[in-house]
Amino acid sequence: MRGFLASSIGVTCAAALALPLTPPALAATARPVPAAEAARPAPRAGIPATTATDRRAAEPSAAGSTQSLPLEPLTRDRATPSAPTTEQGLPRRAVRHFSLVGVVWDDPDAELHGRVQVRTRTAGTGTWSGWQDVETHNADHAADPDTPERALGRVRGATAPLWVGDSDGVELRVRSESDDPAADSAGHTSGARNLPAAPPLPSGLRLELVDPGEDDDATLGTEESPRAAGAPNAETSAATEAVAATESSAVNADLAPLGATEIAALNRAETEQEYLALDAGELTERQLQAKPYVGPRPGIVTRRGWGANEGLRESGFRYTKKVKAAFVHHTASGNNYRCSQVPSLIRSIYRYHVQSMGWRDIGYNFLVDKCGKIYEGRAGGVAKPVLGAHTLGFNSNSMGIAVLGTYGATKPSKSAVTAVARLTAWKLGLYRVNPKGKTNLTSAGSNLHRKGKKVRLNVISGHRDGFKTECPGRQLYGKLGSARSKAARYQGR
């Protein structure tokens, strides 16, 4: 694929002035909004955060914003008031509109041992939801140790994001709990004194409320924001974002026109022709004469198609050598979404990964919704070996596919499983890999495989095969055998 990687460099440069992209609107990241201020307009970008710990500088962004609210102690031991609190949260309050929630903290290596629950108020109806659990074990979705992305000073620990839909009120509680179930169940008994105490909560806990913006605004940039209207750097930011959008589209120029919102599906004959064209410089004469085992290319919604604001992510692209394996994930963001809302959901996850967690881009290489539609994830080109941040310890020489939703108790749709099979049949086929086969990967370090260990894995693996985690959920993990078989058939094996 080296020839394919190089072929896009010239295209990117030539297209920088040619692509007719309308720069997305620019908006400020919203600061925390107390109940008394909920009705006030958002502050203009460039106004400093209200506290030193807010860490929310003005940012260029598409329509959408993030409110970041520091948590407060909910209980404190009167006998030892200086002791770390084991319960934090936020009382019920009105806030600006948001659709996705998550909790972050300062140290990305610290774990939150406990329970996070949130209630939200539906915008328009004023109806409050019941308490919803937020998945706390999320550190296994991350860049590998000792990589530039992991070393970024802005990276933070975080829960999984939870999609709640358009909301304008929130209440949160975070409670520390011991990993020993007996300690929690006996917490109020006379014998509890001899059991381990609940661990302290991580420092710097904040609630992140993400507004993805409107679909039309995010894609077309039609809404003027406070920054666009008056900030001195608005034109520079818009130009920078336009260049980034051009680059993001140009790396797919061999597959779709510049500025395309979707990469069209191909039949088998068209895909085989594309395969030979992309890999012509690397294939041996024998390989050129042999039948290629590559599945028909599926349709893929591009980053422009789901409304990515390219000004949010770190500039440039990073690649690994090849794609030897595909790790399947679930986003653990809940199943309460409509397929028409997926662009908004992905924009929310993107913003949460970049702005709240401090990553360079969205972590997954691809995302799949429950209706079976496939979306481009991390920028760099859908046919290329883009280095992701999805499976801690095994991001090199692999790709990460996230099925939107939570699949511990809920079965994934047949459409989603079929989409995973079609995507892997095509992408793995470009790298001459059998979806039903095994492969060897070297661990960069995880809680399941030590750094440097060579691990033999299924080519299509679940996240839990590389890291001790529940992801991708018991029900989705149970469908991976079916996905492998289907992908091999799509390749013509």
Side-chain angles (χ1 to χ4, degrees):
M1 299 296 291
R2 287 190 297 272
F4 181 38
L5 286 170
S7 68
S8 294
I9 297 176
V11 175
T12 302
C13 296
L17 297 178
L19 183 60
L21 294 178
T22 303
L26 301 175
T29 295
R31 65 177 177 83
V33 185
E37 296 182 36
R40 299 180 188 177
R44 286 182 178 270
I47 296 179
T50 53
T51 67
T53 59
D54 196 346
R55 298 180 302 176
R56 287 291 181 261
E59 65 179 16
S61 67
S65 62
T66 300
Q67 300 170 70
S68 184
L69 286 68
L71 303 195
E72 308 165 0
L74 296 183
T75 60
R76 188 175 293 279
D77 189 338
R78 294 181 180 179
T80 56
S82 62
T85 179
T86 58
E87 189 168 9
Q88 295 185 34
L90 290 173
R92 185 181 297 193
R93 65 179 62 192
V95 291
R96 282 191 284 267
H97 284 242
F98 67 96
S99 296
L100 180 138
V101 305
V103 173
V104 301
W105 53 90
D106 293 338
D107 184 358
D109 295 320
E111 294 188 42
L112 195 164
H113 297 279
R115 192 174 189 183
V116 176
Q117 293 182 300
V118 66
R119 297 181 65 199
T120 56
R121 185 177 66 188
T122 302
T125 68
T127 303
W128 283 89
S129 71
W131 287 105
Q132 300 183 75
D133 285 301
V134 180
E135 174 59 57
T136 59
H137 299 292
N138 193 49
D140 44 315
H141 299 77
D144 288 341
D146 303 322
T147 58
E149 182 170 6
R150 184 73 175 181
L152 292 173
R154 63 176 181 267
V155 176
R156 289 179 284 277
T159 67
L162 178 67
W163 176 261
V164 295
D166 189 17
S167 305
D168 60 6
V170 69
E171 182 178 4
L172 178 78
R173 60 190 185 195
V174 179
R175 182 188 179 195
S176 174
E177 295 178 353
S178 170
D179 288 335
D180 184 352
D184 293 321
S185 62
H188 298 288
T189 68
S190 59
R193 296 176 182 176
N194 296 324
L195 294 171
L201 293 170
S203 63
L205 287 168
R206 306 182 71 85
L207 174 63
E208 305 287 291
L209 304 175
V210 182
D211 170 21
E214 297 295 328
D215 287 338
D216 290 342
D217 294 334
T219 304
L220 302 175
T222 56
E223 181 178 297
E224 185 177 61
S225 70
R227 179 169 184 138
N233 295 324
E235 292 184 5
T236 301
S237 298
T240 300
E241 187 173 336
V243 170
T246 301
E247 292 173 344
S248 180
S249 181
V251 288
N252 288 318
D254 289 324
L255 311 179
L258 292 172
T261 58
E262 185 168 359
I263 297 171
L266 299 180
N267 60 34
R268 180 174 299 279
E270 292 169 333
T271 301
E272 291 178 356
Q273 291 177 0
E274 177 187 75
Y275 165 82
L276 295 174
L278 296 179
D279 267 358
E282 294 189 6
L283 297 176
T284 65
E285 186 63 31
R286 184 175 179 178
Q287 289 172 328
L288 287 169
Q289 298 300 322
K291 170 182 171 59
Y293 290 107
V294 57
R297 188 180 78 192
I300 303 172
V301 177
T302 65
R303 290 171 63 90
R304 180 167 173 79
W306 53 261
N309 167 22
E310 302 296 349
L312 290 181
R313 65 175 173 84
E314 187 176 289
S315 62
F317 313 113
R318 290 181 181 162
Y319 299 97
T320 185
K321 293 181 179 179
K322 59 184 72 173
V323 178
K324 298 172 61 179
F327 285 98
V328 178
H329 305 254
H330 67 169
T331 56
S333 52
N335 302 312
N336 190 27
Y337 70 88
R338 300 187 303 274
C339 291
S340 61
Q341 295 175 311
V342 169
S344 294
L345 173 54
I346 297 176
R347 287 199 306 276
S348 297
I349 294 174
Y350 171 46
R351 179 176 283 272
Y352 185 69
H353 282 183
V354 175
Q355 293 297 310
S356 300
M357 298 178 66
W359 294 359
R360 72 182 313 273
D361 195 349
I362 193 170
Y364 308 112
N365 297 103
F366 296 94
L367 301 101
V368 174
D369 69 22
K370 56 189 175 185
C371 292
K373 185 167 286 190
I374 301 168
Y375 298 81
E376 178 183 13
R378 180 163 288 207
V382 297
K384 301 180 184 181
V386 178
L387 180 64
H390 49 81
T391 307
L392 182 65
F394 292 96
N395 290 305
S396 293
N397 297 328
S398 72
M399 67 175 179
I401 303 170
V403 181
L404 294 163
T406 304
Y407 299 102
T410 302
K411 292 182 179 180
S413 67
K414 291 182 180 179
S415 297
V417 176
T418 298
V420 170
R422 290 189 180 280
L423 175 59
T424 52
W426 171 69
K427 184 68 180 275
L428 292 172
L430 294 180
Y431 294 86
R432 299 176 288 283
V433 177
N434 182 350
K436 290 187 71 175
K438 302 277 189 177
T439 191
N440 294 314
L441 293 177
T442 301
S443 173
S446 76
N447 65 358
L448 196 57
H449 303 288
R450 61 174 173 78
K451 182 177 181 179
K453 180 181 178 181
K454 292 185 178 179
V455 184
R456 190 154 180 81
L457 297 162
N458 287 312
V459 165
I460 298 179
S461 284
H463 187 179
R464 64 174 64 182
D465 295 318
F467 196 99
K468 188 177 181 181
T469 175
E470 292 298 315
C471 184
R474 178 174 57 86
Q475 295 288 352
L476 178 54
Y477 189 77
K479 295 294 184 181
L480 295 189
S482 174
R484 295 182 193 109
S485 298
K486 286 183 178 180
R489 289 200 300 271
Y490 291 142
Q491 285 190 349
R493 297 182 186 271

